[in-house]
Amino acid sequence: MRALRRIVAAVLLTTLALARAEVVVVVSARSSVQKLSEEQVADLFLGRASLPVTGGMLEPIDLAEGAAERDDFYRRIAAMSAPQLTAYWARMIFTGRGKPPREVGDVRAVKEQMARNPHLMAYLPRQDVDDTMRIVFVPR
């Protein structure tokens, strides 16, 4: 009976993992950026670098703190948990070395912001990407 419970639990966990949305990094379809490396994405979102694009600078934006996609993204791209990311930004702000990306409320808000500003970069679940955006990086 215990073995059956373990098998059922394993199947459920596997199903949940597969059902979780794949998060991808996107820019506006109007952006000159075609592709980014993992290092570039991490550097941009962690404030360690900037990237000039036609007509301005590429600006990363974050989903709201506590969003599952945000936690998944930073765990994959920077190997940081939510508390580690908070501590990282506290140090960066305190030392004057950077500030975190601007937060937007949810996926809908990201799409609205990107429609207005072609210099934005964000991460979204793949199923929420539409023809106004271009996927420039897929985290492992």
Side-chain angles (χ1 to χ4, degrees), residues 19-93:
R20 189 181 72 203
E22 178 184 29
V23 176
V24 296
V25 178
V26 296
V27 296
S28 168
R30 298 179 290 157
S31 174
S32 60
V33 176
Q34 298 296 315
K35 190 173 185 175
L36 294 171
S37 70
E38 182 173 11
E39 183 177 353
Q40 287 174 309
V41 170
D43 286 348
L44 288 163
F45 275 96
L46 294 174
R48 298 186 296 220
S50 57
L51 181 66
V53 293
T54 305
M57 299 295 281
L58 193 59
E59 178 188 347
I61 56 176
D62 263 336
L63 290 174
E65 195 170 329
E69 295 89 355
R70 177 180 170 144
D71 294 345
D72 183 50
F73 173 74
Y74 281 104
R75 188 175 49 257
R76 289 172 185 263
I77 202 69
M80 288 186 191
S81 66
Q84 289 171 322
L85 185 64
T86 300
Y88 171 82
W89 282 117
R91 282 190 309 277
M92 293 294 282
I93 292 167

